Amino acid sequence: NVVGKTYEEAYTTLTNQELLVDKQLQRSDNIPIGVVISTDPPAGQQVGAKTTITVFVSAGKEQILMPDLTGLTEQEATLAITEAKLFLGTITQDNSATVPQNMVVSSDPAANTSVPAGSTVNLVISNGLVMVPNVVNLDRIDAVSQLSSVSVGYTVQTQVEPSCTGTEGTTVIAQSIPSGLQPQKQTIVLTLQCVNN
């Protein structure tokens, strides 16, 4: 009886008995890869020398291509996970400059990777917010760069204070949206210092 042995052990055992071996792979959820599941004919049967014994070897769990859940709602993602023979794990919320609120930002395992059937999938859902930096006292170029970065994604407009009779400076003295967590996809107006007023 070679059931439960590795294929290498089974092969050695059977060929030492002057038997021929035909290896066949079978999916199994609970038997480790490379371990013998069963034989045909089964153990204990009398067979002649040079008889071919079919050895069924575990190929491990069925592998599933992880679906791309990005941009789906929680409900849509849950359905896609279930249909792919996977299970929903934890759901956490995170900031996103581009993915709308309550939509999937990312999954673990990542999209288009090969995972065993029955794996747990954890989701990150967008809270529709971004962390806006404080750009007051920064140079206009630095301020615009920070606010239009991938993590914030704001549209930036600049103005000079209305009472200014001089020229527009380059230092930011006010921002229309305060720093901290703010809704994504906003237009922020930066007020620049007035020079030679």
Side-chain angles (χ1 to χ4, degrees):
N1 181 7
V2 295
V3 172
K5 295 183 185 296
T6 66
Y7 173 70
E8 289 72 21
E9 291 170 335
Y11 181 86
T12 305
T13 303
L14 295 169
T15 51
N16 285 346
Q17 300 285 327
E18 295 185 32
L19 297 168
L20 304 175
V21 177
D22 174 32
K23 179 182 182 181
Q24 296 287 336
L25 292 176
Q26 257 185 357
R27 292 282 177 202
S28 171
D29 285 349
N30 44 22
I31 296 173
I33 293 175
V35 172
V36 177
I37 300 171
S38 62
T39 58
D40 181 24
Q45 214 167 308
Q46 292 281 338
V47 293
K50 302 280 188 265
T51 300
T52 297
I53 309 296
T54 304
V55 177
F56 295 97
V57 179
S58 171
K61 287 190 175 186
E62 180 184 359
Q63 293 292 308
I64 304 289
L65 186 66
M66 178 67 198
D68 186 353
L69 307 172
T70 311
L72 299 182
T73 64
E74 194 178 310
Q75 289 77 12
E76 290 166 342
T78 304
L79 182 62
I81 288 167
T82 308
E83 286 178 346
K85 301 184 191 171
L86 301 167
F87 292 99
L88 179 62
T90 58
I91 296 177
T92 51
Q93 289 209 332
D94 201 4
N95 303 343
S96 173
T98 53
V99 179
Q101 187 173 4
N102 299 326
M103 301 286 192
V104 176
V105 176
S106 63
S107 63
D108 176 29
N112 301 318
T113 52
S114 189
V115 297
S119 293
T120 299
V121 178
N122 299 323
L123 297 179
V124 177
I125 304 278
S126 170
N127 58 14
L129 302 174
V130 292
M131 183 60 77
V132 177
N134 180 6
V135 296
V136 173
N137 296 323
L138 289 187
D139 182 80
R140 181 180 72 86
I141 293 170
D142 290 342
V144 171
S145 168
Q146 286 190 30
L147 292 166
S148 58
S149 68
V150 177
S151 60
V152 182
Y154 272 17
T155 302
V156 184
Q157 293 176 355
T158 57
Q159 66 178 20
V160 71
E161 44 187 326
S163 60
C164 180
T165 55
T167 55
E168 180 178 282
T170 60
T171 303
V172 177
I173 59 169
Q175 57 191 84
S176 63
I177 297 172
S179 60
L181 280 177
Q182 300 291 352
Q184 64 186 182
K185 300 183 179 176
Q186 303 286 315
T187 296
I188 187 168
V189 180
L190 302 181
T191 304
L192 301 173
Q193 75 186 120
C194 180
V195 181
N196 307 324
N197 201 1

